[in-house]
Amino acid sequence: MRKKTAAPAIFLVCMLCLTTWTGVAAAEEWPGIVGIDLLTVNDFHGALIEGGRNPGAAKFGAFVIGERAKNPHGTIFLSAGDMFQGSPDSNLLYGKTVVEVLNALKLDAMTLGNHEFDWGLDKLRQRVGESNFRYASANVREKDGQGRLAFVQPYVMLERLGLKIAVIGIVTPETAYTTGPKTVAPFEFRDPAAVVKELLPVVRSQGADVVVVLSHLASYMNQQTGEVTGDAAELARNTPGLDAVVSGHSHQTVAGKAAGVPVVQAYYNGRALGRISLVYSRRDRKIIASSVQALETPVKEAKADDGIAAIVNRAQSEIAPVKNVALGRTIEDLSHDRYELSILGEWASDVMRQTTKTDIAFQNGGGLRTSIPAGAVTMGNLYEVMPFDNTLVTMELSGEQVLQVLNHGINGKAGTVQFSGLQVTIDSSRPYGDQLVEVRLNDGRLLEASAMYRIVTNDFMSAGGDEFTMLKQGRNLTDTFIPVRDALADAVKKAGTLRIKKDGRLRDIRGLAEKPAA
């Protein structure tokens, strides 16, 4: 009896060793055993150029090519979304260069991240049309016709070594409020678990031997305990029948299991490559062993792929006349953290208010994507700071509505609202949404709840983005069609040299306040 039970156990240990250390190509040496490797990337955010910890597309591409060569006939390459937007190198061509790189790397399938919607559906359709790979996003539906996005599929069926692998695409439901409301207004983002449960019997009936969810859902991993949490992990736990889940969105390194299902997320900006290795038994018609890794992309001493480098270099020549234009300089670092009122946020909101000659300006913290270091300020810097093509929108709000904006936007889950024209005192020891103590205008007058004030914000917030729904109630709303980025560029050029310092417009008297704002 012991010999009969020991053999399978030893076999599984051998398979796990194969998947952990060498991929699963060697599994083909065992009769009836198939080894499949899933290589994954997520949240590349247009990081085409090497810099700091970012390997750049050419070195990342070389890494992908090398890992695929370990199992050339049994490897699938997948993207979990947010690939195009995030750097001037990509943004100036609306992600076209990233698509060219992914085509060269023979990507098999990609799901949509929330940032794939940033430039509107026309640009997204254009990128999809240029892609040699397929897009899968099952939980996005048109509200009226209840149909899915016409230019993406709910799932794709891939074949490797005689196996059918179904890849079901899932977009984060957060897209409904983290993306420009005008763009996503026609769509609903259905519950991922409900959609996957609907599709599981469909793909199985079509002969799928392996089912993978390719998602732009967040995941997190406790590096001490190995516990995997987040939306992707919950999907794995609550949806029996899945063989693997690919995650993204939260920019984490995750390589673990939830309810026995491998879950992977490969950090961001191409700094890592995910790999899920699956050992499939033809006799048992199921996965009998699996492993999951997040492999750090080598940067130092790594060789770039010449073909990918040529793609990036051609694009750099095309965008150089815009990207490298020096507009002026800044004496201080214009640093930014979306969860704080930053020096960059103060300056940007000041520029918005001064450009439109309004009383108050609001800019969402997440709409400013990075800092500007001291020194020359180029148009490329401003594309990095403001990759979105948001425009300045003016309106009239009551003082009560201004308070609602501040209550929602200070220390909120989407970050802290950046503002100009106000002197705000808060008590952060109070619950979120009830932290205001006093709000005054720049001239020292108290903000009056019943008075009307002229406001400027961006078109994302004015349409209710980041759940600033109170801004949709503004009177006399006018879209100036002046891009926020252009207003910032004009301010730099006019100043020549920026000498910006924080001015204490947000004061926290944590635990000392006696009563809330009137």
Side-chain angles (χ1 to χ4, degrees), residues 199-220:
L199 288 176
L200 269 169
V202 175
V203 297
R204 291 293 187 187
S205 71
Q206 294 179 9
D209 301 295
V210 177
V211 179
V212 178
V213 169
L214 177 61
S215 79
H216 196 69
L217 297 176
S219 62
Y220 306 88

Side-chain angles (χ1 to χ4, degrees), residues 168 191-202 235 238-240 242:
I168 300 174
D191 174 64
V195 171
V196 173
K197 286 175 182 177
E198 290 174 3
L199 288 176
L200 269 169
V202 175
L235 178 66
N238 297 327
T239 316
L242 298 182

Side-chain angles (χ1 to χ4, degrees), residues 170-467:
I170 292 292
V171 184
T172 172
E174 293 180 12
T175 306
Y177 60 84
T178 59
T179 302
K182 292 179 183 177
T183 300
V184 298
F187 306 105
E188 64 175 353
F189 298 85
R190 296 185 59 207
D191 174 64
V195 171
V196 173
K197 286 175 182 177
E198 290 174 3
L199 288 176
L200 269 169
V202 175
V203 297
R204 291 293 187 187
S205 71
Q206 294 179 9
D209 301 295
V210 177
V211 179
V212 178
V213 169
L214 177 61
S215 79
H216 196 69
L217 297 176
S219 62
Y220 306 88
M221 183 172 177
N222 186 310
Q223 300 301 323
Q224 281 69 47
T225 66
E227 181 186 12
V228 181
T229 57
D231 292 340
E234 289 304 306
L235 178 66
R237 292 189 179 95
N238 297 327
T239 316
L242 298 182
D243 296 305
V245 175
V246 183
S247 169
H249 192 45
S250 47
H251 295 195
Q252 301 290 305
T253 299
V254 175
K257 296 186 178 182
V261 179
V263 178
V264 73
Q265 184 178 175
Y267 207 19
Y268 71 106
N269 285 7
R271 295 180 182 184
L273 180 68
R275 182 167 71 193
I276 294 177
S277 297
L278 305 171
V279 179
Y280 183 88
S281 168
R282 296 188 192 276
R283 183 190 66 184
D284 298 325
R285 300 182 67 181
K286 66 178 183 180
I287 303 294
I288 59 173
S290 63
S291 69
V292 55
Q293 297 171 279
L295 308 169
E296 183 177 352
T297 305
V299 179
K300 293 181 180 179
E301 310 301 325
K303 187 178 185 301
D305 179 80
D306 291 338
I308 303 298
I311 293 171
V312 175
N313 289 339
R314 282 197 302 271
Q316 286 294 298
S317 298
E318 188 174 350
I319 66 176
V322 175
K323 175 187 174 183
N324 299 326
V325 173
L327 306 172
R329 59 194 296 268
T330 175
I331 300 299
E332 306 286 343
D333 289 340
L334 301 181
S335 59
H336 180 63
D337 181 336
R338 68 184 297 171
Y339 295 102
E340 301 173 356
L341 181 62
S342 70
I343 185 170
L344 177 65
E346 290 185 356
W347 171 68
S349 55
D350 282 348
V351 170
M352 294 167 66
R353 182 173 59 86
Q354 292 159 7
T355 300
T356 55
K357 296 180 173 57
T358 46
D359 303 313
I360 300 166
F362 291 121
Q363 163 68 40
N364 57 311
L368 304 173
R369 305 301 290 182
T370 190
S371 304
I372 300 177
V377 179
T378 66
M379 201 64 194
N381 291 136
L382 295 184
Y383 266 92
E384 290 178 335
V385 166
M386 179 64 67
F388 317 103
D389 292 331
N390 292 134
T391 56
L392 296 170
V393 175
T394 62
M395 66 182 73
E396 293 176 1
L397 290 182
S398 68
E400 178 59 36
Q401 290 168 322
V402 171
L403 293 175
Q404 291 172 13
V405 173
L406 293 169
N407 269 318
H408 174 68
I410 290 178
N411 299 326
K413 65 179 180 179
T416 285
V417 66
Q418 314 294 299
F419 61 85
S420 173
L422 298 171
Q423 300 293 323
V424 179
T425 303
I426 65 168
D427 181 352
S428 62
S429 67
R430 292 179 179 168
Y432 162 71
D434 187 33
Q435 296 184 357
L436 293 180
V437 175
E438 183 180 83
V439 179
R440 293 181 179 272
L441 300 172
N442 274 356
D443 61 9
R445 289 178 295 142
L446 280 171
L447 186 81
E448 297 180 25
S450 60
M452 299 301 295
Y453 301 93
R454 289 196 68 233
I455 306 296
V456 63
T457 185
N458 58 61
D459 59 339
F460 169 76
M461 291 179 69
S462 71
D466 277 352
E467 299 183 299

Side-chain angles (χ1 to χ4, degrees), residues 3-315:
K3 290 182 180 179
K4 290 181 181 179
T5 57
I10 293 172
F11 176 78
L12 286 176
V13 169
C14 290
M15 289 300 98
L16 286 170
C17 289
L18 285 168
T19 61
T20 301
W21 297 108
T22 64
V24 293
E28 275 296 290
E29 297 176 6
W30 298 81
I33 298 300
V34 180
I36 299 295
D37 281 319
L38 311 176
L39 298 181
T40 71
V41 61
N42 57 273
D43 300 276
F44 186 69
H45 286 294
L48 294 160
I49 304 300
E50 180 181 350
R53 296 176 63 188
N54 294 342
K59 286 187 176 179
F60 176 74
F63 189 41
V64 172
I65 292 167
E67 290 300 308
R68 181 191 281 122
K70 296 177 181 179
N71 185 12
H73 302 296
T75 295
I76 291 171
F77 185 30
L78 304 171
S79 166
D82 273 12
M83 297 296 289
F84 306 148
Q85 183 268 80
S87 77
D89 309 289
S90 178
N91 294 359
L92 285 166
L93 296 176
Y94 295 99
K96 180 176 179 287
T97 312
V98 176
V99 168
E100 291 177 356
V101 168
L102 295 176
N103 284 342
L105 291 175
K106 299 179 181 178
L107 187 75
D108 290 290
M110 173 175 159
T111 196
L112 299 175
N114 52 301
H115 286 297
E116 262 71 61
F117 293 88
D118 283 341
W119 296 317
L121 294 182
D122 288 343
K123 283 289 187 291
L124 180 54
R125 286 192 191 94
Q126 191 174 353
R127 296 292 82 83
V128 171
E130 295 164 351
S131 302
N132 296 336
F133 48 91
R134 289 178 284 174
Y135 291 74
S137 295
N139 64 323
V140 186
R141 290 180 179 268
E142 295 180 14
K143 289 178 180 176
D144 295 335
Q146 293 299 300
R148 295 188 178 92
L149 278 173
F151 52 91
V152 299
Q153 303 165 255
Y155 60 89
V156 299
M157 196 75 77
L158 304 171
E159 290 196 24
R160 293 292 187 277
L161 300 173
L163 296 184
K164 287 187 175 181
I165 299 100
V167 180
I168 300 174
I170 292 292
V171 184
T172 172
E174 293 180 12
T175 306
Y177 60 84
T178 59
T179 302
K182 292 179 183 177
T183 300
V184 298
F187 306 105
E188 64 175 353
F189 298 85
R190 296 185 59 207
D191 174 64
V195 171
V196 173
K197 286 175 182 177
E198 290 174 3
L199 288 176
L200 269 169
V202 175
V203 297
R204 291 293 187 187
S205 71
Q206 294 179 9
D209 301 295
V210 177
V211 179
V212 178
V213 169
L214 177 61
S215 79
H216 196 69
L217 297 176
S219 62
Y220 306 88
M221 183 172 177
N222 186 310
Q223 300 301 323
Q224 281 69 47
T225 66
E227 181 186 12
V228 181
T229 57
D231 292 340
E234 289 304 306
L235 178 66
R237 292 189 179 95
N238 297 327
T239 316
L242 298 182
D243 296 305
V245 175
V246 183
S247 169
H249 192 45
S250 47
H251 295 195
Q252 301 290 305
T253 299
V254 175
K257 296 186 178 182
V261 179
V263 178
V264 73
Q265 184 178 175
Y267 207 19
Y268 71 106
N269 285 7
R271 295 180 182 184
L273 180 68
R275 182 167 71 193
I276 294 177
S277 297
L278 305 171
V279 179
Y280 183 88
S281 168
R282 296 188 192 276
R283 183 190 66 184
D284 298 325
R285 300 182 67 181
K286 66 178 183 180
I287 303 294
I288 59 173
S290 63
S291 69
V292 55
Q293 297 171 279
L295 308 169
E296 183 177 352
T297 305
V299 179
K300 293 181 180 179
E301 310 301 325
K303 187 178 185 301
D305 179 80
D306 291 338
I308 303 298
I311 293 171
V312 175
N313 289 339
R314 282 197 302 271

